[in-house]
Amino acid sequence: MTAIIRIEQISEYVGQEVTIQGWVYNRTHKGKLVFLLVRDGYGFVQCVAFKNDLPEETFEEIVHITQESSVEISGLVRVDGRAPGIPGGFEIGITGIKVIQIADEYYPMSLKEHGTDFALENRHLWLRMPSQWAILRVRATVISAIREWLDTNGFINMDTPILTPAAAEGTTTLFGTPYFDEGIAYLAQTGQLYNEANIYAFKKVYCFGPTFRAEKSKTRRHLTEFWMVEPEVAFCDLDELMEIEEQFVSHIVRRALEERAPELASLGRDTSSLEMISPPFQRISYDEAVERIAEVREKTADPEEKEQLAFDWGGDFGAPHEIALTRQFDKPVFVYGYPTAVKAFYMEPWPGRPEVCKSVDLLAPEGYGEIIGGSERISDPALLLQRIHEHGLPEDAYKWYMELRRFGSVPHSGFGLGVERTVSWICGIHHIRETIPFPRTINRVYP
RNA sequence: UCCUCGGUAGCUCAAUCGGCAGAGCGGGCGGCUGUUAACCGCUAGGUUGUAGGUUCGAGUCCUACCCGAGGAGCCA
């Protein structure tokens, strides 16, 4: 047998005899000519069999092969502009085939379109489709780029607990689980508070793991289980935080463009809008954002849009507001200085303007909206204690958190980036449930 | 939790005014040497989400429920 290759490297094997191990994605037969579109986990390539070139029984076996059958195919690699695939433009002239298993002929995921419910019910098979395969390959690169940038910029990975004693921010609904004699433990919605402890040992840290929200959110931007990376930095104010974020996000986008161009092309993603992502990103205040949204609302003739864009200073933006705002920029945009009342208890107040705080969200362009939420944290122990009281949080649960402000407190900042929203934006897809292998939503825990 | 829309063959959908349950794809069989979700012919395939009601007759009308999607709130 010839060397087993990966389809993603097929361009290096033109003119050579190779073997691929994979699955039959589609079969088209035209009498004496058969096309098999085969995927091997690394890509999709067209394999061609001519009746006159092969033994009778080999050709018959190829003619009757079913979708998703597992195979080892040997043949000669050649360039052909007509050949579909990822990357396309190459095909293998079949000289030999070994069928590992003939798949059951009633494969449910036909190549025609499917409804959402059916696709999700068959997620374990849907993963094999080119679109899902491409999105999840981009996801893996995004995750790799996240770790790479942090690991090479002075950050150290510190895993924070998933089972936690109480609501970290006191607002979101959490999943609870019985925990021996300790009552209820809650699945983490953030590792931030623990990271605030970690920075005093390691200066720059990040946690990266699954995060859980029991909110009954039913939108294309929400999952009950999602992945979030949360860097936290000692001796860092809000301006320095924004510099970190724009470097970080630019690196992630660049890596995706470099390594996943065939996947992004197969998704039909116009990457020109991603090519221009580099620091700096524009910074606008919450006050300015409110004004910009009001201007858009003033100009629109559509009464429905006018209704949706109605907004009073003091609230948090909804999806229509974020879309109207981000359409004005071709790169991600920072919105800083949100009202203290709508943000978490630990955010540092704006000097001289206690009604707003040193928070910053990063909104992705093209209507994708918030991918990062972050802030400078309160470092003064007296103010922090006051906020805990104001928010009605149990003081004893935050005893350890308060102590961080007693022993060498420094200004510090951090943020959380949502992996699925970032992948949605980079891939240009509509719904974040496609950006995680097995999505968990309010109505679905299967498969 | 609220608002809107939907549920008919394995999948995607059609079925006029309440009047024989249909098509394409997918499966099987046959044909075709350049297909791109191929195409052509034949063929198999149905508890119309569930329960009740109106009617000579219900996929269609009424009531309740179940399930799903989109959005709002909340958030990354």
Side-chain angles (χ1 to χ4, degrees):
Chain A
M1 195 170 65
T2 53
I4 294 163
I5 68 155
R6 300 178 183 181
I7 291 171
E8 64 184 344
Q9 294 164 344
I10 196 165
S11 65
E12 299 167 22
Y13 295 91
V14 173
Q16 296 181 42
E17 183 89 7
V18 302
T19 297
I20 56 169
Q21 297 174 317
W23 299 267
V24 175
Y25 175 69
N26 195 14
R27 175 199 52 175
T28 302
H29 58 105
K30 294 180 52 67
K32 294 174 182 167
L33 172 65
V34 179
F35 298 100
L36 298 181
L37 190 55
V38 177
R39 50 182 193 83
D40 75 339
Y42 299 96
F44 291 68
V45 71
Q46 173 164 281
C47 303
V48 190
F50 287 103
K51 183 169 183 151
N52 296 345
D53 298 347
L54 291 166
E56 176 89 30
E57 54 187 61
T58 303
F59 187 79
E60 280 307 303
E61 192 173 27
I62 293 170
V63 165
H64 289 99
I65 207 160
T66 52
Q67 185 186 358
E68 292 305 318
S69 290
S70 41
V71 292
E72 282 182 6
I73 288 177
S74 299
L76 188 66
V77 177
R78 55 183 176 244
V79 173
D80 192 314
R82 296 169 295 187
I86 307 173
F90 301 92
E91 68 179 21
I92 294 175
I94 300 177
T95 55
I97 182 166
K98 179 180 169 191
V99 177
I100 315 298
Q101 191 210 26
I102 290 287
D104 185 313
E105 62 264 33
Y106 295 105
Y107 184 65
M109 295 296 284
S110 67
L111 302 186
K112 295 286 178 177
E113 61 190 77
H114 298 286
T116 309
D117 187 50
F118 179 82
L120 288 171
E121 196 70 14
N122 291 280
R123 182 58 169 169
H124 52 298
L125 305 176
W126 190 23
L127 294 172
R128 306 177 182 194
M129 303 291 276
S131 62
Q132 303 306 304
W133 172 88
I135 292 165
L136 293 171
R137 297 253 292 179
V138 173
R139 175 191 171 99
T141 293
V142 165
I143 289 170
S144 168
I146 284 169
R147 290 193 180 276
E148 179 191 47
W149 191 88
L150 293 168
D151 290 340
T152 55
N153 281 275
F155 289 79
I156 189 170
N157 177 218
M158 281 294 133
D159 298 319
T160 52
I162 287 173
L163 291 167
T164 60
E169 303 184 5
T171 52
T172 324
T173 315
L174 303 179
F175 290 105
T177 183
Y179 198 81
F180 306 112
D181 297 331
E182 300 292 317
I184 303 294
Y186 297 92
L187 299 186
Q189 58 161 327
T190 171
Q192 180 208 314
L193 270 52
Y194 295 99
N195 270 343
E196 288 188 64
N198 292 333
I199 55 167
Y200 288 96
F202 305 99
K203 189 160 185 190
K204 292 179 172 181
V205 303
Y206 68 95
C207 62
F208 193 178
T211 309
F212 306 90
R213 303 280 164 90
E215 292 286 346
K216 294 199 170 183
S217 299
K218 276 192 60 164
T219 82
R220 63 169 175 271
R221 304 180 312 282
H222 289 87
L223 298 170
T224 55
E225 176 182 314
F226 64 97
W227 284 66
M228 182 161 70
V229 58
E230 294 178 277
E232 190 76 23
V233 187
F235 297 95
C236 177
D237 65 16
L238 194 70
D239 287 329
E240 291 163 323
L241 186 71
M242 287 191 262
E243 285 171 25
I244 290 170
E245 290 182 23
E246 63 194 7
Q247 296 286 341
F248 180 58
V249 169
S250 299
H251 174 79
I252 294 166
V253 172
R254 203 177 321 119
R255 274 280 308 275
L257 289 172
E258 285 167 6
E259 285 177 27
R260 296 298 178 218
E263 287 83 356
L264 291 170
S266 79
L267 290 167
R269 179 64 159 124
D270 175 8
T271 52
S272 60
S273 60
L274 298 175
E275 307 278 357
M276 64 177 75
I277 306 297
S278 64
F281 300 163
Q282 194 156 343
R283 293 146 165 73
I284 64 171
S285 68
Y286 173 88
D287 300 334
E288 183 182 344
V290 172
E291 281 172 28
R292 283 173 177 265
I293 290 164
E295 280 169 25
V296 174
R297 181 167 183 264
E298 199 62 34
K299 284 177 189 160
T300 183
D302 180 1
E304 193 181 339
E305 194 183 0
K306 236 182 194 17
E307 168 76 25
Q308 286 180 335
L309 288 177
F311 191 82
D312 293 323
W313 194 99
D316 212 344
F317 301 125
H321 308 112
E322 286 189 358
I323 290 167
L325 192 60
T326 55
R327 273 193 188 140
Q328 303 183 353
F329 305 91
D330 49 20
K331 291 201 285 189
V333 58
F334 288 114
V335 180
Y336 63 87
Y338 282 79
T340 307
V342 300
K343 288 292 181 182
F345 73 93
Y346 49 70
M347 293 190 183
E348 179 77 12
W350 203 269
R353 271 191 82 188
E355 73 278 12
V356 298
C357 60
K358 295 179 83 170
S359 61
V360 60
D361 286 355
L362 184 67
L363 309 183
E366 302 170 75
Y368 281 92
E370 184 178 354
I371 55 172
I372 286 181
S375 67
E376 185 174 330
R377 327 300 194 187
I378 292 174
S379 51
D380 177 65
L383 178 59
L384 186 61
L385 186 62
Q386 181 190 327
R387 283 290 149 78
I388 286 173
H389 288 154
E390 284 169 5
H391 285 253
L393 299 170
E395 193 179 327
D396 52 341
Y398 290 91
K399 180 168 170 285
W400 65 269
Y401 187 66
M402 285 298 305
E403 281 190 6
L404 302 175
R405 273 70 182 175
R406 285 174 56 204
F407 306 112
S409 187
V410 292
H412 61 287
S413 303
F415 65 92
L417 175 137
V419 168
E420 288 78 16
R421 288 185 179 181
T422 303
V423 175
S424 288
W425 164 49
I426 291 174
C427 291
I429 61 168
H430 183 67
H431 201 303
I432 67 167
R433 67 186 157 214
E434 295 182 37
T435 65
I436 186 167
F438 293 94
R440 293 291 171 255
T441 58
I442 173 173
N443 292 316
R444 180 174 296 282
V445 289
Y446 175 93

